[in-house]
Amino acid sequence: MADSSTPVFTDPAFPEMLRRRLAHTPFPVEQEAWPGDFFDKPPRRAAVLIPLVQRDDDWHLLFIRRALNDNDRHSGQVAFPGGHVDGGDPGPESAALREAEEEIGLPRRNVELLGRLGTCRTITNFHVTPVIGLIRRPFSPIPDPREVAHVFSIPLSWLSDPANLERRNRQLPGKNGTVIDVLYYREYQGELLWGVTARLVAALVSGISTDR
């Protein structure tokens, strides 16, 4: 996208560069190597919004930490706003914007869509479409306490540093010791980003950094 001397993530034109790249083709997301018999039914459709916002002369991604909930398999984890694609949603973009408005009070009129990443399948058997949106107007998050414990951002310049990303082995539940390769970022101000959300971030960073 740019040579190493160009401060890509502080460039005001970065969103337009990203839009042009995503118009060419969605950035592929590395998929976990699920065993062939891991899922016993077709995946359900879901979408997440990857919110891009400028803060302190740097471009950041906005995240949520999910509220603690005994009925939520991802309880307490860092994620992007998102959820099911419902029958009333015209498509994943609509679903992602609706969920972000419901979960953190982000008005859809404040978001300019830039494109998609490739889809991926999650451990909870969702086929997720990641939608990237630029937050054009300032807003104060209003988290739904039933779903969101905290809203925060991480600079893309930090997320793009390979020293902050690592792979770990993780044993799958109920699979007799089957181990898969899972991405983890180092803790950032007490927040741990890992799993499918880390893979979406890594796909975005890789797509930005790859010459096209």
Side-chain angles (χ1 to χ4, degrees):
M1 181 173 186
D3 62 40
S4 59
S5 64
T6 304
V8 173
F9 299 117
T10 59
D11 188 339
F14 169 66
E16 188 54 38
M17 298 179 210
L18 180 57
R19 184 204 306 279
R20 291 198 300 268
R21 290 210 156 203
L22 291 169
H24 177 67
T25 184
F27 301 162
V29 178
E30 182 184 350
Q31 179 66 68
E32 287 93 341
W34 306 120
D37 61 347
F38 188 67
F39 302 107
D40 59 3
K41 61 183 67 174
R44 294 165 289 175
R45 296 173 65 212
V48 298
L49 182 69
I50 301 179
L52 181 67
V53 61
Q54 192 170 28
R55 291 182 173 168
D56 303 323
D57 298 321
D58 201 349
W59 290 101
H60 290 227
L61 296 183
L62 198 69
F63 297 89
I64 64 171
R65 179 167 20 92
R66 300 183 66 84
L68 296 177
N69 185 336
D70 290 341
N71 297 319
D72 180 3
R73 189 166 177 177
H74 299 293
S75 172
Q77 294 181 9
V78 171
F80 289 115
H84 299 80
V85 177
D86 293 338
D89 294 316
E93 284 80 6
S94 176
L97 291 171
R98 173 180 55 75
E99 289 283 350
E101 192 160 18
E102 292 172 359
E103 291 183 356
I104 63 172
L106 173 60
R108 62 182 65 204
R109 66 178 179 275
N110 286 23
V111 182
E112 179 182 340
L113 297 178
L114 301 180
R116 300 178 180 181
L117 300 182
T119 57
C120 63
R121 196 172 191 177
T122 70
I123 192 170
T124 46
N125 203 18
F126 281 99
H127 199 223
V128 176
T129 299
V131 179
I132 301 172
L134 171 63
I135 300 179
R136 279 293 190 189
R137 302 181 185 89
F139 89 107
S140 297
I142 306 174
D144 180 343
R146 297 168 299 178
E147 298 191 71
V148 177
H150 184 44
V151 181
F152 64 98
S153 71
I154 301 179
L156 266 169
S157 55
W158 187 91
L159 292 164
S160 66
D161 185 345
N164 293 325
L165 183 64
E166 65 180 34
R167 295 176 181 271
R168 302 182 192 173
N169 290 331
R170 188 175 179 88
Q171 184 172 324
L172 288 175
K175 281 296 170 183
N176 299 320
T178 300
V179 171
I180 62 169
D181 182 49
V182 178
L183 288 184
Y184 280 77
Y185 280 87
R186 290 171 49 199
E187 279 197 16
Y188 180 85
Q189 296 182 357
E191 302 292 350
L192 182 62
L193 170 60
W194 66 282
V196 65
T197 305
R199 288 184 184 270
L200 298 184
V201 174
L204 176 59
V205 169
S206 177
I208 292 166
S209 305
T210 302
D211 290 334
R212 293 193 174 196

